[in-house]
Amino acid sequence: MIRTCVVVAALAVSSAGATYAQSPKFIPPRLLKAELPPMPPPTIAGAGEVLIEAIVDRTGALGRPVILRGTPPYTQMVFDAMSTFRFEPARMAGPDGVEAAIEMPITIAGLFRPPVLSNTPTIGESPKDWSKPSGDAAYPISMEMPNYPPQVRDGGVVLLEVALNGAGGVTETRGVASTGGFESTSREALTKWRFTGASYRARPVPATAYVLFGFRTPTFLRPGQQPQMPPTAVPPFPPAFPSPPPPDFKPPPAPDFKPPPPPDFGPPPPAAYPPPPPPDYSPPPPSKP
């Protein structure tokens, strides 16, 4: 009897462990449609890095973007391209096998080469970090700028979809769109990237991330020609309160205001009224003895 109870208890524990180990089927978002951003004028100096986290909702639309890192003017270029992205939403199937569309965050990364052939440092504004990642989307922790192919002399853009497992390892790379023949060198650079894993409800899940590589047409400035610097980086959504005054700000002088003089007030003059004359009084005559 005791042995039977032990066997039954062991089977129950084994069944419970198997049920817990079965994770729901999870399918990350997939990009269906996208347009590539145009490159800035060749006179814009410097490279650019952009990292944006956004939500793919249940309809496949992309919304609620958060800038994690930005470099002007490339940040706005990536934003404009993101407005054309359309996705197949993420789906999760429960233990009963029924799939349902769910919201899932993704990361969009953009690396843009300067208009030079080599990977040497160039002038231009450095990337700035604006926000921290949520931790739910796969996030690149190591990035590599692609080389400029020596046989190419024009610019182009490549958009790659990176499929990742729950630990952040790359399982597949898919070319979504490209121009200029830079996909091979882009894939080679992407092999050196490293990602964190994504999670859904605190459980590791497979994910997708998207990488834009921009290749600027190399330019050679004439002697004495100065490159055009990008605008100074500012938050894309300014706060709803006035910015602090500059250091050399002085308040305007007070108006030249003088209070009116007090009225010329004094006690009223004495009335021109003579006092009444004393009565006609004379002492009585002395009495006779």
Side-chain angles (χ1 to χ4, degrees):
M1 179 66 180
I2 295 176
R3 183 178 179 181
T4 303
C5 294
V6 171
V7 172
V8 172
L11 290 174
V13 171
S14 175
S15 175
T19 301
Y20 179 81
Q22 286 180 350
S23 58
K25 182 181 179 182
F26 189 93
I27 303 174
R30 298 297 300 268
L31 184 58
L32 302 176
K33 176 185 175 183
E35 294 182 9
L36 298 175
M39 289 292 96
T43 52
I44 294 292
E49 291 184 16
V50 179
L51 290 172
I52 298 176
E53 184 175 317
I55 301 290
V56 178
D57 65 18
R58 293 180 177 88
T59 67
L62 192 63
R64 287 176 276 172
V66 176
I67 298 177
L68 308 179
R69 182 179 301 169
T71 314
Y74 302 101
T75 306
Q76 187 60 50
M77 292 164 45
V78 175
F79 260 121
D80 294 341
M82 287 170 51
S83 65
T84 67
F85 287 11
R86 294 295 180 269
F87 291 83
E88 181 182 348
R91 305 186 69 85
M92 186 175 68
D96 55 358
V98 178
E99 291 187 359
I102 59 172
E103 292 187 347
M104 186 64 189
I106 62 169
T107 300
I108 298 141
L111 257 63
F112 299 87
R113 286 186 53 84
V116 295
L117 291 175
S118 62
N119 282 342
T120 56
T122 59
I123 60 175
E125 188 166 348
S126 301
K128 292 186 179 180
D129 292 330
W130 294 107
S131 305
K132 293 183 178 180
S134 66
D136 294 329
Y139 181 79
I141 54 177
S142 177
M143 299 185 295
E144 180 80 12
M145 182 74 77
N147 294 319
Y148 201 99
Q151 71 276 10
V152 181
R153 288 294 180 268
D154 294 326
V157 185
V158 178
L159 174 58
L160 300 175
E161 180 182 71
V162 186
L164 306 162
N165 58 25
V170 177
T171 60
E172 181 187 358
T173 303
R174 178 174 69 96
V176 178
S178 65
T179 59
F182 295 95
E183 187 167 337
S184 177
T185 188
S186 298
R187 289 178 179 271
E188 181 181 353
L190 195 59
T191 60
K192 302 177 183 179
W193 284 43
R194 298 294 179 267
F195 294 84
T196 62
S199 64
Y200 182 76
R201 295 179 179 176
R203 297 179 67 95
V205 293
T208 48
Y210 297 88
V211 180
L212 276 163
F213 287 119
F215 297 83
R216 310 272 305 282
T217 303
T219 58
F220 304 92
L221 299 179
R222 299 186 301 272
Q225 182 182 3
Q226 296 295 328
Q228 181 180 350
M229 299 296 293
T232 303
V234 296
F237 305 107
F241 52 83
S243 58
D248 58 349
F249 175 79
K250 294 181 180 180
D256 189 12
F257 175 78
K258 295 180 179 179
D264 190 9
F265 176 80
Y273 179 78
D280 189 11
Y281 174 79
S282 59
S287 59
K288 297 181 179 181

